[in-house]
Short mmCIF file of all heavy atoms in Angstrom, two decimals:
data_model
loop_
_atom_site.label_atom_id
_atom_site.label_comp_id
_atom_site.label_asym_id
_atom_site.label_seq_id
_atom_site.Cartn_x
_atom_site.Cartn_y
_atom_site.Cartn_z
N LEU W 67 90.77 95.14 97.12
CA LEU W 67 91.41 94.07 97.97
C LEU W 67 91.45 94.41 99.36
O LEU W 67 91.40 93.53 100.30
CB LEU W 67 92.84 93.92 97.43
CG LEU W 67 92.89 93.52 95.98
CD1 LEU W 67 94.37 93.33 95.53
CD2 LEU W 67 92.11 92.29 95.62
N ASP W 68 91.54 95.68 99.75
CA ASP W 68 91.43 96.20 101.12
C ASP W 68 91.29 97.73 101.07
O ASP W 68 91.04 98.23 100.02
CB ASP W 68 92.62 95.72 101.97
CG ASP W 68 94.00 96.20 101.55
OD1 ASP W 68 94.07 97.36 101.05
OD2 ASP W 68 94.92 95.45 101.71
N ALA W 69 91.32 98.33 102.18
CA ALA W 69 91.02 99.83 102.23
C ALA W 69 92.01 100.61 101.34
O ALA W 69 91.64 101.69 100.84
CB ALA W 69 91.07 100.32 103.68
N GLU W 70 93.24 100.11 101.14
CA GLU W 70 94.23 100.86 100.42
C GLU W 70 94.68 100.19 99.12
O GLU W 70 95.42 100.77 98.37
CB GLU W 70 95.51 100.97 101.33
CG GLU W 70 95.29 101.69 102.63
CD GLU W 70 94.89 103.23 102.42
OE1 GLU W 70 95.54 103.76 101.41
OE2 GLU W 70 94.01 103.65 103.06
N ARG W 71 94.23 99.02 98.82
CA ARG W 71 94.76 98.32 97.59
C ARG W 71 93.56 97.95 96.65
O ARG W 71 92.57 97.38 97.11
CB ARG W 71 95.48 97.07 97.98
CG ARG W 71 96.75 97.36 98.70
CD ARG W 71 97.62 96.14 98.87
NE ARG W 71 96.92 95.07 99.45
CZ ARG W 71 97.27 93.79 99.45
NH1 ARG W 71 98.50 93.48 98.91
NH2 ARG W 71 96.64 92.82 100.06
N TYR W 72 93.76 98.22 95.36
CA TYR W 72 92.80 97.88 94.37
C TYR W 72 93.58 97.17 93.18
O TYR W 72 94.77 97.36 93.05
CB TYR W 72 92.13 99.11 93.75
CG TYR W 72 91.29 99.86 94.75
CD1 TYR W 72 91.82 100.73 95.77
CD2 TYR W 72 89.89 99.69 94.72
CE1 TYR W 72 91.02 101.40 96.59
CE2 TYR W 72 89.13 100.37 95.67
CZ TYR W 72 89.65 101.15 96.60
OH TYR W 72 88.84 101.83 97.44
N CYS W 73 92.86 96.42 92.45
CA CYS W 73 93.39 95.81 91.24
C CYS W 73 92.40 96.10 90.10
O CYS W 73 91.25 95.76 90.26
CB CYS W 73 93.58 94.27 91.46
SG CYS W 73 94.18 93.47 89.96
N TRP W 74 92.90 96.79 89.08
CA TRP W 74 92.03 97.03 87.95
C TRP W 74 92.32 95.91 86.95
O TRP W 74 93.43 95.80 86.41
CB TRP W 74 92.37 98.47 87.32
CG TRP W 74 91.61 98.70 86.13
CD1 TRP W 74 90.32 98.51 85.88
CD2 TRP W 74 92.09 99.40 84.92
NE1 TRP W 74 89.94 98.89 84.63
CE2 TRP W 74 91.04 99.54 84.07
CE3 TRP W 74 93.29 99.91 84.60
CZ2 TRP W 74 91.16 100.08 82.76
CZ3 TRP W 74 93.45 100.53 83.34
CH2 TRP W 74 92.43 100.58 82.50
N PHE W 75 91.34 95.20 86.59
CA PHE W 75 91.50 94.07 85.65
C PHE W 75 90.91 94.45 84.35
O PHE W 75 89.81 95.17 84.23
CB PHE W 75 90.61 92.87 86.18
CG PHE W 75 90.55 91.77 85.18
CD1 PHE W 75 91.57 90.85 84.95
CD2 PHE W 75 89.44 91.68 84.33
CE1 PHE W 75 91.50 89.87 83.96
CE2 PHE W 75 89.32 90.71 83.33
CZ PHE W 75 90.35 89.81 83.18
N GLN W 76 91.64 94.19 83.26
CA GLN W 76 91.16 94.41 81.87
C GLN W 76 91.33 93.10 81.18
O GLN W 76 92.41 92.54 81.17
CB GLN W 76 92.12 95.44 81.14
CG GLN W 76 92.39 96.65 81.83
CD GLN W 76 93.56 97.40 81.10
OE1 GLN W 76 93.40 97.61 79.92
NE2 GLN W 76 94.57 97.77 81.83
N GLY W 77 90.27 92.60 80.61
CA GLY W 77 90.36 91.36 79.81
C GLY W 77 89.73 91.63 78.42
O GLY W 77 88.72 92.25 78.41
N TYR W 78 90.40 91.17 77.45
CA TYR W 78 89.88 91.38 76.07
C TYR W 78 90.04 90.15 75.24
O TYR W 78 90.98 89.30 75.35
CB TYR W 78 90.83 92.44 75.32
CG TYR W 78 91.01 93.72 76.05
CD1 TYR W 78 92.07 93.86 76.86
CD2 TYR W 78 90.05 94.75 76.03
CE1 TYR W 78 92.25 95.04 77.55
CE2 TYR W 78 90.23 95.91 76.69
CZ TYR W 78 91.36 96.05 77.47
OH TYR W 78 91.54 97.22 78.19
N ASN W 79 89.02 89.99 74.29
CA ASN W 79 89.25 89.01 73.20
C ASN W 79 90.36 89.47 72.40
O ASN W 79 90.44 90.65 72.09
CB ASN W 79 88.02 88.77 72.46
CG ASN W 79 88.07 87.70 71.46
OD1 ASN W 79 88.80 87.86 70.39
ND2 ASN W 79 87.53 86.57 71.72
N HIS W 80 91.26 88.56 71.95
CA HIS W 80 92.47 89.04 71.19
C HIS W 80 92.12 89.68 69.86
O HIS W 80 92.83 90.38 69.21
CB HIS W 80 93.47 87.86 70.90
CG HIS W 80 92.89 86.86 69.98
ND1 HIS W 80 91.93 85.90 70.37
CD2 HIS W 80 93.13 86.69 68.60
CE1 HIS W 80 91.69 85.23 69.20
NE2 HIS W 80 92.30 85.64 68.24
N LEU W 81 90.87 89.48 69.40
CA LEU W 81 90.43 90.12 68.12
C LEU W 81 90.10 91.56 68.36
O LEU W 81 90.06 92.38 67.37
CB LEU W 81 89.17 89.35 67.56
CG LEU W 81 89.41 87.93 67.18
CD1 LEU W 81 88.08 87.35 66.78
CD2 LEU W 81 90.42 87.81 66.14
N LEU W 82 89.87 92.01 69.54
CA LEU W 82 89.49 93.34 69.80
C LEU W 82 90.64 94.32 69.95
O LEU W 82 90.69 95.33 69.40
CB LEU W 82 88.66 93.40 71.15
CG LEU W 82 88.00 94.70 71.56
CD1 LEU W 82 87.01 95.17 70.47
CD2 LEU W 82 87.32 94.52 72.84
N LEU W 83 91.69 93.93 70.76
CA LEU W 83 92.79 94.84 71.00
C LEU W 83 94.09 93.98 71.01
O LEU W 83 94.15 92.86 71.55
CB LEU W 83 92.63 95.48 72.40
CG LEU W 83 91.55 96.50 72.55
CD1 LEU W 83 91.51 96.94 74.07
CD2 LEU W 83 91.81 97.74 71.62
N ASP W 84 95.14 94.72 70.61
CA ASP W 84 96.46 94.10 70.78
C ASP W 84 97.17 94.73 72.00
O ASP W 84 96.56 95.59 72.68
CB ASP W 84 97.31 94.27 69.49
CG ASP W 84 97.62 95.76 69.18
OD1 ASP W 84 97.25 96.65 70.00
OD2 ASP W 84 98.15 96.03 68.15
N GLY W 85 98.29 94.27 72.29
CA GLY W 85 99.02 94.76 73.49
C GLY W 85 99.31 96.23 73.47
O GLY W 85 99.14 96.89 74.48
N TYR W 86 99.62 96.75 72.34
CA TYR W 86 99.95 98.23 72.26
C TYR W 86 98.66 99.01 72.45
O TYR W 86 98.72 100.00 73.24
CB TYR W 86 100.56 98.56 70.91
CG TYR W 86 100.92 100.04 70.83
CD1 TYR W 86 101.99 100.54 71.54
CD2 TYR W 86 100.29 100.92 69.96
CE1 TYR W 86 102.37 101.83 71.50
CE2 TYR W 86 100.63 102.24 69.88
CZ TYR W 86 101.67 102.69 70.63
OH TYR W 86 101.96 104.02 70.60
N ALA W 87 97.55 98.57 71.85
CA ALA W 87 96.33 99.33 72.07
C ALA W 87 95.88 99.30 73.57
O ALA W 87 95.35 100.22 74.06
CB ALA W 87 95.17 98.78 71.20
N CYS W 88 96.09 98.13 74.19
CA CYS W 88 95.73 98.04 75.61
C CYS W 88 96.57 99.02 76.51
O CYS W 88 96.06 99.58 77.38
CB CYS W 88 96.01 96.58 76.13
SG CYS W 88 94.94 95.39 75.54
N THR W 89 97.82 99.19 76.11
CA THR W 89 98.70 100.14 76.74
C THR W 89 98.15 101.60 76.63
O THR W 89 98.13 102.30 77.53
CB THR W 89 100.13 100.03 76.26
OG1 THR W 89 100.62 98.65 76.48
CG2 THR W 89 101.10 100.97 77.00
N LEU W 90 97.81 101.87 75.34
CA LEU W 90 97.34 103.25 75.12
C LEU W 90 96.01 103.50 75.93
O LEU W 90 95.85 104.61 76.45
CB LEU W 90 96.99 103.40 73.72
CG LEU W 90 98.19 103.39 72.67
CD1 LEU W 90 97.75 103.50 71.24
CD2 LEU W 90 99.10 104.57 73.00
N MET W 91 95.15 102.55 75.97
CA MET W 91 93.87 102.65 76.69
C MET W 91 94.19 102.80 78.20
O MET W 91 93.58 103.63 78.82
CB MET W 91 92.99 101.44 76.36
CG MET W 91 91.57 101.65 76.75
SD MET W 91 91.12 101.22 78.45
CE MET W 91 91.81 99.58 78.58
N ALA W 92 95.08 101.95 78.73
CA ALA W 92 95.33 102.06 80.17
C ALA W 92 95.93 103.41 80.46
O ALA W 92 95.65 103.97 81.52
CB ALA W 92 96.26 100.85 80.51
N ARG W 93 96.85 103.89 79.58
CA ARG W 93 97.41 105.21 79.87
C ARG W 93 96.41 106.33 79.86
O ARG W 93 96.35 107.20 80.77
CB ARG W 93 98.44 105.55 78.77
CG ARG W 93 99.20 106.87 79.03
CD ARG W 93 100.23 107.18 77.96
NE ARG W 93 99.49 107.54 76.77
CZ ARG W 93 100.12 107.72 75.61
NH1 ARG W 93 101.35 107.42 75.44
NH2 ARG W 93 99.38 108.11 74.54
N ARG W 94 95.40 106.21 78.98
CA ARG W 94 94.32 107.19 78.96
C ARG W 94 93.47 107.17 80.24
O ARG W 94 93.14 108.16 80.77
CB ARG W 94 93.48 107.02 77.69
CG ARG W 94 92.31 107.99 77.61
CD ARG W 94 92.81 109.34 77.43
NE ARG W 94 91.68 110.28 77.32
CZ ARG W 94 91.70 111.57 77.61
NH1 ARG W 94 92.87 112.09 77.94
NH2 ARG W 94 90.65 112.30 77.45
N VAL W 95 93.12 105.92 80.66
CA VAL W 95 92.35 105.74 81.89
C VAL W 95 93.11 106.37 83.08
O VAL W 95 92.57 107.08 83.89
CB VAL W 95 92.04 104.28 82.16
CG1 VAL W 95 91.45 104.09 83.55
CG2 VAL W 95 90.97 103.85 81.04
N ALA W 96 94.45 106.13 83.13
CA ALA W 96 95.30 106.59 84.21
C ALA W 96 95.34 108.16 84.22
O ALA W 96 95.25 108.79 85.20
CB ALA W 96 96.71 106.04 84.18
N GLU W 97 95.49 108.74 83.01
CA GLU W 97 95.50 110.23 82.84
C GLU W 97 94.20 110.76 83.39
O GLU W 97 94.10 111.71 84.13
CB GLU W 97 95.57 110.63 81.43
CG GLU W 97 96.98 110.48 80.82
CD GLU W 97 96.96 110.74 79.31
OE1 GLU W 97 95.93 110.81 78.64
OE2 GLU W 97 98.10 110.76 78.77
N THR W 98 93.07 110.16 82.99
CA THR W 98 91.78 110.70 83.36
C THR W 98 91.53 110.56 84.86
O THR W 98 91.07 111.51 85.55
CB THR W 98 90.67 109.97 82.56
OG1 THR W 98 90.88 110.10 81.18
CG2 THR W 98 89.28 110.46 82.92
N TYR W 99 91.82 109.31 85.36
CA TYR W 99 91.63 109.11 86.80
C TYR W 99 92.50 110.03 87.64
O TYR W 99 91.97 110.60 88.58
CB TYR W 99 91.97 107.65 87.11
CG TYR W 99 91.93 107.25 88.63
CD1 TYR W 99 90.71 106.95 89.16
CD2 TYR W 99 93.06 107.23 89.37
CE1 TYR W 99 90.64 106.65 90.48
CE2 TYR W 99 92.97 106.91 90.67
CZ TYR W 99 91.82 106.65 91.29
OH TYR W 99 91.71 106.39 92.58
#
Side-chain angles (χ1 to χ4, degrees):
L67 304 176
D68 59 37
E70 299 294 321
R71 294 190 308 167
Y72 293 81
C73 176
W74 177 40
F75 171 82
Q76 310 167 55
Y78 308 94
N79 183 285
H80 71 280
L81 298 174
L82 185 62
L83 290 176
D84 64 6
Y86 184 68
C88 290
T89 301
L90 293 176
M91 195 273 307
R93 185 180 72 190
R94 179 65 180 156
V95 169
E97 287 173 348
T98 303
Y99 176 81

